[in-house]
Amino acid sequence: IIRNLYSSIQMVSKKTSQKEHGLVLQCYAEAIRLGASTLPDGKPIKKLEALMQIWSLSYKGDAEKEEIFKAGLGTILQALLDRGDAEERYLCLGALAALAQSEKYVLEAVTTRVLTTAAGVLLSDHDRGKLPAVQILSAAALRPELCPRVADSAFLPIIDLIKSDGHPGWGAMLRTQSYAVVALRSLIENVEGESPEIRLARRRVAVSLGVVPCLMRLVAVTPPMPQPPIVPAPLPLLTKKSASSKGRKGSKKGSDSTPLGIKHSAAIAAASCMRFLALVPEFTPEFLATGLLPNLIGAMTTANEELSAYLAGILWEVTAEKEVAETVASAGAVRPLLHIISVNIAAARAKKKKKKAPKDGNDGKKGGKDANGNSGSGSGSGSGSGSSSKKNMDLTPVVEPPCFPDLAVCSAAGALHHLTFLDDPKLQIVRYGGLDILAACLAISNPQTYENAAGALWNCGLDARNALRATATVALPTFLTDPVPESWRTVGDEALPKDMTAAAVAAAFGSPGGHAGFHTSASLEM
């Protein structure tokens, strides 16, 4: 009885609170129209104060947002963007930006008028209004139906904001630029509903307008964290639980317990944007011309799983060219890439072992047969069509969030595959224990990861100096331990005399059963 009485009191108080909120919101609307009004408790309220109260109320939840739209305040705020002064426009943009954060009300809060006004504020001198304006554009760009309109009205202002450095307040500038970079990423990434040629054209325009150096500086501004004691880190002990279930947990939002500051969030946003810009050929010269490649490589050893995935992905794309691969290798990228694989592989999705097919004649078991030779579909009687129809009722595709450890391992293995077409990275991988790390990638369920790791191991096996260590220290498939006949292996064109034949190479470096001089890591250092 007491519990029921308490519930009824809560329901009455909730209805009373909603009724009072409605009266208060009506007073706010009257204050905006007339310049001043009086609240139900008799207190006077002016126009600017009413706008600030609406802005504050918009952050509370969907219930409050619904009351705001029911009171007609959404339309009032949108109309005030045209006839209000700079301060009123700033408060209206702040309230609309808070309303646009809700998936339920973003389409009601963001109209063509709001997008045009927000784009104009980015080009104006009212610096405080740029933050709520770019928040509106960022939220709208995430919606497929609003993204083309954001691109038409605010693509160039967003790039100008990323390139600017005059916004007052260092932290406020980074926060504003972070939202601008997120909006730019939404305009250039691959999503359904828009032609890929349009996205490709936007990437080319963004690169030609000089946005790459600004993004590189945002990545380089990441606060220096304590360097790990060993780079690359030793491989973790992989168990069935850590290699399968942990990969799914790592993909959930908020799985990383480390809180992100403004600088770290800006670095992740900038790296994700560059990951898509790296898909156009014009990106690579701009990327190298910044001179910040060592900073990017240095950030890889202390980056979290999300930032690691984007940074390794950038190197995976640009190292497809030989000259760029030589520059990246000389900057010391092999060890950080191996480190990314080592620290993220435990959270990546491992391959699932195939279940053995059930034996024939097992009554009541899935896949078995009954006495008449008919296949069953579970326990009990019936044909089993009811269960299959239930499974096929919901055909809506399930979109899983990205598993950043998976992406980090795949991208780092891809970058190492490109680097191992050179001679020195092959020796570095062996010297720093990279064969074990790459061999562990073969157990990942992602086919692209398997292909990248197998390609890197294949390239390493082509060097005669790596053949013994690949055979003796790592359990690899046969096609990787002996990729080619022994006489085909080389030790680098620069180190061999021009008149040295393949037979002489085989005699100098021995066969898999009789290598000499390459049994220790010290000899590899020579």
Side-chain angles (χ1 to χ4, degrees):
I1 296 174
I2 296 176
R3 188 182 298 111
N4 294 336
L5 181 61
Y6 180 71
S7 300
S8 62
I9 292 175
Q10 280 187 326
M11 293 178 62
V12 172
S13 62
K14 184 177 181 180
K15 292 181 179 178
T16 304
S17 177
Q18 291 178 351
K19 185 177 180 180
E20 291 178 354
H21 275 170
L23 295 175
V24 171
L25 291 175
Q26 291 178 6
C27 295
Y28 291 163
E30 184 179 355
I32 295 174
R33 288 193 300 266
L34 303 178
S37 181
T38 303
L39 295 175
D41 57 0
K43 293 182 179 179
I45 185 171
K46 295 184 178 180
K47 187 176 184 178
L48 292 180
E49 185 180 357
L51 291 173
M52 286 189 287
Q53 292 295 333
I54 295 172
W55 189 354
S56 177
L57 187 64
S58 301
Y59 278 110
K60 290 191 175 180
D62 286 343
E64 286 75 12
K65 291 181 175 67
E66 183 178 0
E67 293 179 6
I68 289 175
F69 283 105
K70 283 184 177 179
L73 289 173
T75 306
I76 294 175
L77 293 173
Q78 293 166 0
L80 194 60
L81 293 176
D82 294 334
R83 53 185 176 83
D85 57 19
E87 191 66 21
E88 294 171 354
R89 191 182 301 112
Y90 163 68
L91 296 175
C92 289
L93 287 174
L96 291 172
L99 295 172
Q101 304 306 316
S102 172
E103 290 286 336
K104 186 177 180 180
Y105 298 105
V106 59
L107 296 178
E108 297 184 47
V110 181
T111 62
T112 303
R113 175 191 296 175
V114 174
L115 292 177
T116 304
T117 304
V121 171
L122 295 186
L123 299 175
S124 67
D125 296 332
H126 195 273
D127 291 324
R128 284 196 304 144
K130 293 181 179 181
L131 178 57
V134 77
Q135 286 176 334
I136 292 175
L137 296 172
S138 176
L142 295 173
R143 304 283 301 192
E145 55 268 45
L146 296 176
C147 188
R149 285 192 277 171
V150 174
D152 294 339
S153 60
F155 185 71
L156 296 180
I158 287 173
I159 293 180
D160 289 339
L161 181 60
I162 296 175
K163 294 168 59 178
S164 66
D165 55 358
H167 192 68
W170 185 65
M173 179 187 68
L174 275 179
R175 189 181 179 194
T176 304
Q177 289 181 330
S178 297
Y179 280 105
V181 172
V182 171
L184 179 61
R185 181 189 64 188
S186 302
L187 298 177
I188 64 175
E189 67 179 345
N190 298 318
V191 296
E192 296 182 359
E194 196 172 25
S195 174
E197 289 76 13
I198 297 177
R199 302 275 171 160
L200 182 61
R202 290 179 191 153
R203 294 169 190 166
R204 294 180 184 275
V205 172
V207 173
S208 64
L209 292 177
V211 75
V212 175
C214 304
L215 296 175
M216 285 289 288
R217 285 194 293 269
L218 289 176
V219 174
V221 83
T222 305
M225 302 293 290
Q227 291 290 332
I230 302 176
V231 177
L235 279 171
L237 295 177
L238 298 178
T239 61
K240 293 183 179 179
K241 184 176 180 181
S242 65
S244 59
S245 61
K246 192 175 180 181
R248 297 185 184 91
K249 292 180 181 178
S251 64
K252 293 182 179 179
K253 184 178 180 181
S255 61
D256 193 352
S257 59
T258 305
L260 299 181
I262 295 177
K263 293 188 287 184
H264 200 176
S265 299
I268 291 177
S272 65
C273 194
M274 285 196 297
R275 179 64 182 88
F276 291 102
L277 293 178
L279 298 175
V280 298
E282 296 85 355
F283 171 83
T284 304
E286 296 284 337
F287 173 74
L288 296 178
T290 60
L292 296 175
L293 178 61
N295 300 73
L296 185 144
I297 294 176
M300 293 167 63
T301 55
T302 57
N304 65 351
E305 56 191 28
E306 185 175 1
L307 184 57
S308 298
Y310 292 132
L311 296 180
I314 295 170
L315 295 185
W316 184 14
E317 293 293 338
V318 300
T319 52
E321 301 179 16
K322 179 182 177 182
E323 295 77 9
V324 181
E326 293 174 347
T327 304
V328 172
S330 61
V334 173
R335 293 174 65 188
L337 288 171
L338 292 172
H339 183 78
I340 287 178
I341 297 176
S342 183
V343 299
N344 288 284
I345 197 168
R349 296 185 178 96
K351 292 181 180 178
K352 293 182 179 180
K353 293 184 178 180
K354 295 183 180 180
K355 296 182 180 180
K356 296 182 179 179
K359 297 181 180 179
D360 295 339
N362 293 334
D363 296 337
K365 292 186 179 181
K366 187 176 181 180
K369 295 184 178 180
D370 57 16
N372 298 326
N374 299 322
S375 60
S377 58
S379 60
S381 60
S383 61
S385 60
S387 60
S388 62
S389 62
K390 289 181 181 179
K391 292 181 180 179
N392 296 331
M393 286 176 64
D394 188 9
L395 300 178
T396 304
V398 178
V399 180
E400 296 184 358
C403 179
F404 288 110
D406 252 348
L407 297 177
V409 172
C410 180
S411 300
L416 289 171
H417 180 207
H418 288 165
L419 292 179
T420 51
F421 285 101
L422 306 174
D423 294 326
D424 189 56
K426 297 175 186 177
L427 291 180
Q428 292 186 40
I429 287 177
V430 177
R431 182 182 306 150
Y432 299 120
L435 295 179
D436 298 285
I437 296 175
L438 289 172
C441 295
L442 301 179
I444 302 301
S445 61
N446 188 350
Q448 187 63 56
T449 303
Y450 185 94
E451 180 180 342
N452 293 340
L457 290 170
W458 175 283
N459 290 343
C460 289
L462 296 178
D463 195 315
R465 292 168 290 185
N466 296 337
L468 178 63
R469 298 189 67 85
T471 305
T473 63
V474 183
L476 293 175
T478 307
F479 72 93
L480 291 178
T481 55
D482 295 311
V484 293
E486 184 67 24
S487 60
W488 291 13
R489 292 195 177 99
T490 65
V491 292
D493 295 338
E494 293 82 359
L496 290 176
K498 294 182 179 180
D499 56 348
M500 196 171 189
T501 62
V505 174
F509 294 96
S511 60
H515 278 78
F518 295 96
H519 290 272
T520 62
S521 59
S523 61
L524 286 172
E525 300 282 351
M526 297 175 58

